[in-house]
Each structure stands twice: as C-alpha cells, then as structure tokens.
Amino acid sequence: MSPHERLDAAIKRVVEADNCSGCGGCVQLDPGLTMELDAEGYLRPIRKSPDVYPPEARAGTPIGAAGRPGRDVEREFAAACPGVRVVAQRPPGSHRHAQLGPVVQAWEAWANDPAVRHAGSSGGTLSALAAWLLETGQAATVIGAASDPNNARRTVPVQIISKEQALKAAGSRYAPVANASVPGARDAGTAFVGKPCEVSAIRALGPRGERASAEDGGEAAAGEGPLLLSFFCAGTPSQNATDRLAADLGVAEGAGVSELRYRGQGWPGDFSITDTDGTVRNASYDESWGQYLGPTTQWRCKICPDGVGESADITAADFWRTDATGYPLFTDRAGISALIARTERGRSLVLAAAAAGVLTLKAMDVAELVAVQPLQRKRRETLLARLAGTLAAGGSVPRFSGFSLWRLALPRLRESLRTARGTFRRRRGLDRQK
C-alpha cells in the first residue's frame, strides 16, 4: 500500500467505528485530505487528491506533514487523532482536578468592553483575548470559526487578523466545523481557538516541524507553538439540525439567509436567523439547544473524555447562575465566563490581559464551576460506563489515558450500571440504522 492508502485505511477505521469527531487534525498530516459534510450532517475527512506525496515517498519512505520524508504519518495520526487516543494533560505547575482537568489558576471573568461582552457567548473573554492578542502583536493570526460568508447557514474555519474580524466571529457556533484543518494551526504566532477535540489534536501533533510523540501524547513544551484556547463543549450537533430549526422558524431550505447566530448578543442569547429581506426569527437557547441541536450530537461526543478543553492553555466556560435546585438559569443577563489557566503560559497571558484593562477577573473556587456545569461533571463520572456499554454492544472506543475513570465510576456503581445499559441500547440502535 502507498503511504496515503495506509493513512486512508487508518482514517476509515476511525470513521466506520463512529469515533471520528470531525476535528480536521488528519488534514495537517496530508493536504490531499479535506473535510466535507456527510449525509448525516457531520464533517468527515475525504481524499480530494489521489497522491500528494513526492516520488521518494511513493517508493515507500514514511512521510509526515508537508510531504517531508522520514516521518511516519500513521504513527503521528495514531498519536494525535482524538478518535484513536486522548491523553489527560498534566502541564508543569498545574494541579489535576478529577472533573475539570489541569488547573493553574481559575477566575470568574468578563470582557471590559461592553460591546465585546454583549457579542460573546458568555462574558466575551475569548473574543476579548483574541482581539487584544492581535492588537498588541502577540499573535499574527487567530484561527477560529464563523459563519460562511457564502452560505450563512454553514460554519467554516476563519483566520482572523484584526479586532473587527474577531468581534464579527464572536459567539458560539453549534455546528460542524474543523478548525484543526487550517494549515497555520500549528504555527508559532498563531492563537488557535477550537473545540476540545481540535485543541487536543493540535497539541498532540506539536508545533509545525516537530514530531508528535506517541509516548507523551504529542505534548509540546510550555511556550512552544501556537497559543491554544478552548471552551467547554457539550458536543457537535448535526448540520441537519440547524437546517430543521431554520425551516421550523419559517426559513425554508434554499431561502436566502444573511445572518445566522447560535448565541451571543446577550447571555446566553437566542438562536437567530435573518433572511435577505431583513426579517429576524428567534428561538431561545433552551429551545434551540434542548429541542433541536443537542439531541443530534454525534456518537463520538457521547463517549468524549474531555468536554472541558484540557489540552488548551486557557479554557472558557459559561459560569451559569442557578435556581434553588442548582439547575442553570438561561434567562438573559450580562455575560460571565469562568476562565481556567491550564498552563503557566495561559496564566501569564490572562493576568497580562487583566492588567491591560481587557478583562475583569475575580477569584473563583473551581468547585463552584463544577456545581454549575452538571453535564460536564456527570459525563466525566459516567464515561467508563458509556465505554463499557459501547463495547458490550460490539462497538469500538478510542484509548483514553490518565483520566482516572475507574476512580470516578466506582463510588457510583448503580448509576454506572444504569448508564452502561442505556448506552448499550443506544449503540445497538445506531448500528441497526446503518
């Protein structure tokens, strides 16, 4: 088999097992690949070019990124693909929290610029950091996600080089996108904003020109390569769910759309779709996520070990306010983020941004964040059961190392058994649909 055929076979195994997250990291290893939506509305790698390798590689020399001979692309794929392996992170200077991963320091935070705070999904912290990094020259480009300028219903990776562009891209995008596929994602001078799986892949691949390590999960030394920013993630919904929601709001398939937002313009902000005559239609966050988007998250997200962005330098989350029972409230108010510095590099950056007047910070006990993020807590505590249920149903799962899943599951045996049975039934149902 040629090198690209061997890589294609490895990717096919991940996709057919429903373990592909659609992050796009494999495109870093082979520019002959691209990410396209499948019939179910999820991004999957597709080969666009039959052979991108130079003649010496076609003769059998292992190669890696940018077509350089002497690198084993299959080994790099196995070390970095979140559908094959994810390694719990333990950066120097951090302490490891069972549900939240590595923590150097944590804060309640928001952007000081009211426009940025309003435009962002919670406190506008990642948007504020992105704009500040560009304005001060600490980043030459920011890689993020935004509405496709040619089709506002879709979401695409973007390379941001100005504050104005950063503000335009503010707000969550609850749809498939593959930020890790962008060529500059691994470059020094880049600030990379992505879902936890995308950040995990970029961290594991290492800075461009460096070899990923199967032994350490590709962890780069602190301060090397791109600055990695992430956020708490509940999973990637199908693009088809967005289309169904738009249709139910009265915007038919094929009708012109000038803007589509999932959140932002307040906290948490509404789903809004604007047609070409200026008519705006809205759905609350509770309705859009709870009834349309959330139920369609892809299978890989249901067995995800890291919805909290462990591999990032800085992770942001909604610091929800709750009712008397502890359930998060989704009534609109001024946004508040939780910020976690996971590396010393991230901590230094957050403190510098606060000193520059970009962010307001208040000390936060991470236990408070766990309390207002019940989904993330429960997912981590019941993950071992979901993996067991998947395996019992005949599925395969990625290797997750260092997450102490047994320690989290054992005190919750009854819940774990119930979760395993439910996962078994859902996985069997998924396989019957194929």
Side-chain angles (χ1 to χ4, degrees):
M1 295 174 72
S2 69
H4 84 258
E5 289 172 331
R6 292 195 297 272
L7 177 59
D8 288 352
I11 292 172
K12 183 179 179 182
R13 288 192 292 272
V14 172
V15 172
E16 290 187 344
D18 295 302
N19 286 330
C20 179
S21 71
C23 72
C26 52
V27 179
Q28 294 286 329
L29 299 173
D30 185 340
L33 297 169
T34 190
M35 302 298 292
E36 294 184 3
L37 288 171
D38 66 10
E40 295 179 349
Y42 305 115
L43 282 174
R44 298 293 179 255
I46 301 294
R47 180 160 295 283
K48 65 180 179 181
S49 174
D51 199 343
V52 300
Y53 298 108
E56 63 270 24
R58 290 198 294 270
T61 304
I63 73 149
R68 287 190 297 274
R71 298 178 67 185
D72 187 343
V73 68
E74 292 172 88
R75 182 173 181 269
E76 292 188 56
F77 174 76
C81 173
V84 177
R85 184 186 186 197
V86 180
V87 178
Q89 300 296 300
R90 289 172 170 80
S94 68
H95 70 272
R96 184 161 184 84
H97 187 279
Q99 284 90 7
L100 298 182
V103 178
V104 174
Q105 194 169 351
W107 307 268
E108 181 179 338
W110 56 86
N112 283 335
D113 184 330
V116 177
R117 187 179 185 182
H118 183 72
S121 292
S122 53
T125 50
L126 292 185
S127 298
L129 285 170
W132 176 67
L133 289 167
L134 291 167
E135 284 188 310
T136 57
Q138 295 178 76
T141 185
V142 172
I143 291 174
S147 177
D148 186 341
N150 299 313
N151 182 358
R153 298 170 184 260
R154 301 293 184 260
T155 303
V156 293
V158 290
Q159 292 182 285
I160 297 166
I161 59 173
S162 70
K163 178 180 179 180
E164 291 70 29
Q165 291 175 339
L167 291 181
K168 188 175 181 180
S172 296
R173 303 292 302 179
Y174 294 137
V177 66
N179 289 4
S181 67
V182 178
R186 298 162 61 196
D187 292 347
T190 292
F192 179 87
V193 185
K195 300 186 296 293
C197 59
E198 295 166 327
V199 171
S200 172
I202 296 300
R203 174 77 74 185
L205 285 166
R208 186 168 298 281
E210 298 292 328
R211 183 168 184 152
S213 166
E215 285 70 39
D216 66 8
E219 239 181 295
E224 293 181 355
L227 178 74
L228 301 179
L229 309 175
S230 193
F231 42 83
F232 280 24
C233 176
T236 299
S238 167
Q239 178 61 44
N240 299 341
T242 294
D243 295 340
R244 283 194 297 271
L245 175 54
D248 286 354
L249 289 174
V251 184
E253 182 179 355
V257 173
S258 61
E259 184 180 43
L260 187 151
R261 297 183 62 89
Y262 290 87
R263 281 185 59 188
Q265 305 300 323
W267 185 46
D270 288 346
F271 175 96
S272 68
I273 184 167
T274 307
D275 62 26
T276 49
D277 68 7
T279 302
V280 181
R281 296 170 173 86
N282 298 304
S284 70
Y285 172 68
D286 210 13
E287 180 184 4
S288 63
W289 177 262
Q291 298 180 28
Y292 287 86
L293 305 171
T296 70
T297 54
Q298 60 190 345
W299 182 261
R300 170 60 180 77
C301 299
K302 299 180 190 302
I303 58 168
C304 182
D306 177 21
V308 297
E310 284 204 11
S311 293
D313 294 297
I314 301 167
T315 304
D318 287 294
F319 196 40
W320 299 115
R321 293 329 192 215
T322 61
D323 61 20
T325 68
Y327 187 78
L329 295 171
F330 299 135
T331 52
D332 266 9
R333 65 189 69 201
I336 301 173
S337 300
L339 273 187
I340 303 174
R342 301 198 179 278
T343 64
E344 290 291 353
R345 182 185 187 186
R347 178 180 180 274
S348 297
L349 185 98
V350 171
L351 293 177
V358 174
L359 300 176
T360 291
L361 304 177
K362 294 175 63 177
M364 182 188 70
D365 184 338
V366 292
E368 297 177 68
L369 179 56
V370 173
V372 300
Q373 289 281 349
L375 175 65
Q376 298 295 350
R377 174 186 57 78
K378 186 174 181 179
R379 280 189 165 189
R380 183 69 66 92
E381 291 172 350
T382 60
L383 176 57
L384 186 66
R386 281 178 279 120
L387 298 176
T390 302
L391 291 169
S396 65
V397 298
R399 289 175 292 144
F400 301 140
S401 304
F403 290 95
S404 302
L405 299 182
W406 279 101
R407 187 180 303 171
L408 289 168
L410 284 175
R412 305 167 178 85
L413 282 178
R414 182 173 296 179
E415 182 181 13
S416 293
L417 288 171
R418 185 170 60 249
T419 300
R421 286 195 296 267
T423 302
F424 174 86
R425 290 192 296 268
R426 286 190 293 273
R427 179 67 203 204
R428 279 289 179 90
L430 177 68
D431 290 338
R432 283 194 294 268
Q433 293 170 16
K434 292 183 178 179

